[in-house]
Structures are given as structure tokens and as C-alpha cells.
Amino acid sequence: MKAIVLVGGFGTRLRPLTLSAPKQLLPIGGVTMLERVVAKLGAAGVEEVVLSLGYQPDMFRSEFADARCAGVDLVYAVEPEPLDTAGAIAFAADAAGVSERVLAVNGDVLSDLDIADLLAHHDRFGAAATIALTPVEDPSRYGVVPLDDDGRVRAFIEKPEPGTAPSNWINAGIYVLEPSVIQSIPRGRKVSIERETFPALVGAGTLYAVQSDAYWIDAGTPAAFLQVHLDLLDGRRGTVESGVDRTARVDADAKISRSFIGSGAVVAAGAEVIDSVVMAGVRIAHGARIERSIIGARALIGDGCEVTELSVVGYDQDVDAGTILRAERLPGPDNW
Ligand code: GDD
Ligand code: MG
């Protein structure tokens, strides 16, 4: 089976990290987000993944120079301009010659959803397309999907106004699509699968969905990106991943708690890192305190800095000694 993985977005909500690398090439505990997504598809029997690329495609080509990722063959489909989700799927299918039933996946979703179950459900109902659903507390930043009793989708409401969603079951960003659906997508312009393709299938009565409360997270915001790491450290996804890379150098008088410390990072005496992500090659000087924050690769955090409350420091940033960052991004929006 083949899968199309959407990885062409700009990753705006994860800036400044995504100024240096596309969202799906950001490391999650030392393994890129994309490798984690593709490994899951591989485990479900997918043998070829078509990467639907737009933003910074060359970075994907050099990261996976042999066109293999997590044991799966990669095909690159680079859009000339962003075509939005359905436009991107159609472009990728045409570029890679996919004419059979296919899985399509948002490239920033990490989950333990059962793909075999999704496929079985799709077959059972003879659906044109089947969407995996997951429950969330606040559905307003997702696609909301109310169902009939028989599992048929009653409506697809992308990003409803807060408080108006008819259900807290949302589109998990994992679909089975029949060739007829891909053929129906108009070519050569932006088409949103959430706002155009799925609502049309609702009208035809051929869109189905399957609910699952397996682990699921869209890692596309700083809060969620941090949460993915904490979930791995806490063992919420089965095995507990170790937080401190073997090649990191942490002084005996530094305190690290519930955090990922990337390869080659250096943490000096008296520094504290709590509930945070510190990427490869970062240097944290004496007495600095990092809490609930993300430090991009190779950044330098000076003596006595405080970086807290979901602050995000970009790749290669030099943060002067004594700087206090609370709920801030460095560089900030003025420099994006
Ligand atoms: N190739 C390509 N071209 N990829 C794109 C484009 C495009 O024009 N636009 C977005 N993408 C990719 C992103 O890189 C990401 O992997 C995926 O498509 C989804 O885009 P996001 O920007 O992350 O969307 P979202 O998180 O706001 O909402 C989507 O995901 C939710 C679940 O995580 C929607 O599908 C919602 O309905 C869904 O609930
Ligand atoms: Mg997303």
C-alpha cells in the first residue's frame, strides 16, 4: 500500500524553529517528526510514501538522500506553489503515478491509531473516503466531524468558532481515499480537503469515519511540540524514552528534570532544565534556568538566563547573559 504524507506547510505556529527547518524535520527526542510518522505507516504495511512537499523541499532531499525513511521508500512530489491539502494530495498522486486506493496523512500527527482498523471500516461500508477521528477538549482549532449512528459523516466543519462545535470528535488527519476521490479534486488551483472535498462527499453520503481514543497529538504548536516530548518521557506511549542523549555533557552540578537534552548539548554547573526540550548542540551556561520551553539547535543560553513559560528560542540564537524570556519567542515576529 502507498501513502501520501502532507509536509508542505510553512509551520507558522512553530516559528522561529520552522525558519530553520520545516516542521516535519524538527527532531522529537533526536528522531525527526517525519521518521516517527513514516515508521508508523511502515508498521501498518505501507511500502512507499509520497512526500507532498512545498516549503524547503531540499532539506527533505538532503535529510533522506537515499530516498528511504524508517525502512520505507520515499517519492518526492514538489508543488510549484502551495495547493492546500486536497490540491497537494492530487498533485502528489499525479506526480507519483498513484492510481489505487491510498492513505493520506497530515505530516505533523503522532498517534497510536490502528490503521488496519481504519481500512477494515472503510471496506465494511464501501466508503469513498474514511477519516480517523479522535476526541479533544477544544475542537475549535481542528476539523469537527459529527456522525450518524451508522458511522456516516453528517458534516465536516473546519475550525468552528469556539463554543459552536457539535461534537468533540475531530479529524485526526489520517484518511483512506478511493481513486474516485482523488480524481474528483480540481487540478491547478488551491483545494482544501477539509473545506471543499470532504463537504462534497458528505453531500453524496459517501464519507465515513471511525472513532478512536488511542494516543493522538498534532505537534504543530509549541505547547503540543513540548507535550509530545513529555509524553515520551512519561511513558504515555508505551516505552519510556531516555531524555539525555549519550553525547550530551551535563555537569554534575546541573539539574535536569523531565527534559530532552539533544546530542552534543552542554549544560554547565548550576544550570537547571525542567520540563523542556533542548536540541542538539545547545550550550547552557552557568546558573541559567530553562522551564517549560524549547531551545532550538546550537543556541547559546548565557549565564543566569531565565527561559520559561513556553518560550521558544530559534536555532543558532545567542541569548545574552541575564536575559529573561517569559512566554516569548526569540527572534520575535518582527524578525520573521
Ligand atoms: N504539500 C502541502 N501543500 N502540504 C500542506 C499544505 C500545502 O499547501 N498546507 C498544509 N500542508 C500540510 C502541513 O505541513 C501539515 O502536515 C498538514 O498539511 C496539515 O496542515 P496544518 O497546517 O498542520 O493543519 P491544521 O493542523 O491546522 O489542521 C489540519 O489537521 C487537523 C488535525 O491535526 C486539518 O486537517 C484539521 O481538519 C485536522 O483536525
Ligand atoms: Mg497540524
Side-chain angles (χ1 to χ4, degrees):
M1 181 152 198
K2 296 181 181 179
I4 296 171
V5 179
L6 292 174
V7 291
F10 293 103
T12 325
R13 289 164 291 189
L14 274 175
R15 285 185 188 161
L17 301 173
T18 43
L19 300 174
S20 304
K23 171 161 68 174
Q24 293 82 4
L25 291 186
L26 295 177
I28 293 183
V31 178
T32 62
M33 192 183 297
L34 184 65
E35 270 172 277
R36 291 182 182 268
V37 170
V38 172
K40 165 150 183 73
L41 294 170
V46 169
E47 287 170 341
E48 181 182 301
V49 158
V50 185
L51 285 185
S52 166
L53 298 164
Y55 180 57
Q56 297 185 332
D58 293 341
M59 290 195 68
F60 288 89
R61 287 206 186 93
S62 53
E63 180 77 26
F64 305 103
D66 58 354
R68 297 271 295 171
C69 173
V72 176
D73 289 330
L74 296 180
V75 176
Y76 298 106
V78 184
E79 294 166 274
E81 61 196 354
L83 292 170
D84 210 340
T85 43
I89 290 170
F91 181 88
D94 292 349
V98 177
S99 54
E100 65 270 41
R101 165 194 293 184
V102 72
L103 283 169
V105 177
N106 286 347
D108 57 356
V109 163
L110 298 161
S111 88
D112 294 334
L113 269 158
D114 186 345
I115 290 178
D117 187 52
L118 180 70
L119 289 162
H121 198 91
H122 179 83
D123 279 335
R124 196 175 320 130
F125 289 94
T130 304
I131 310 176
L133 305 183
T134 186
V136 294
E137 252 165 56
D138 174 14
S140 65
R141 68 181 189 89
Y142 301 103
V144 178
V145 187
L147 296 184
D148 283 341
D149 292 342
D150 64 353
R152 201 190 295 240
V153 174
R154 198 143 41 84
F156 192 108
I157 310 148
E158 182 67 9
K159 306 206 169 76
E161 288 296 315
T164 67
S167 165
N168 72 332
W169 287 93
I170 59 112
N171 167 24
I174 304 176
Y175 324 122
V176 187
L177 304 175
E178 287 299 318
S180 60
V181 175
I182 293 178
Q183 281 154 20
S184 75
I185 299 168
R187 303 306 200 256
R189 67 163 170 90
K190 283 187 193 245
V191 186
S192 159
I193 200 161
E194 297 87 354
R195 296 178 196 276
E196 197 170 328
T197 313
F198 287 153
L201 293 176
V202 169
T206 53
L207 184 61
Y208 285 79
V210 55
Q211 298 177 329
S212 163
D213 47 23
Y215 180 90
W216 180 90
I217 194 164
D218 172 341
T221 64
F225 187 78
L226 179 57
Q227 191 61 47
V228 170
H229 287 82
L230 300 180
D231 289 343
L232 290 170
L233 291 167
D234 293 345
R236 219 162 290 148
R237 303 208 49 198
T239 48
V240 181
E241 292 199 19
S242 148
V244 180
D245 190 274
R246 276 181 295 113
T247 61
R249 282 188 288 132
V250 177
D251 190 280
D253 290 323
K255 179 184 161 197
I256 310 286
S257 127
R258 207 175 169 232
S259 296
F260 267 103
I261 310 290
S263 61
V266 179
V267 184
E272 251 186 306
V273 183
I274 305 163
D275 297 351
S276 291
V277 175
V278 171
M279 291 187 190
V282 168
R283 277 186 284 157
I284 298 176
H286 182 262
R289 189 164 73 89
I290 317 289
E291 183 164 358
R292 267 197 78 69
S293 292
I294 303 164
I295 314 296
R298 299 176 301 276
L300 303 181
I301 307 293
D303 269 33
C305 284
E306 280 183 37
V307 183
T308 62
E309 296 174 41
L310 216 53
S311 289
V312 182
V313 174
Y315 281 47
D316 300 297
Q317 287 297 299
D318 203 340
V319 184
D320 294 338
T323 302
I324 296 189
L325 298 175
R326 290 200 188 105
E328 276 186 70
R329 303 199 188 196
L330 196 79
D334 292 349
N335 296 302
W336 292 351

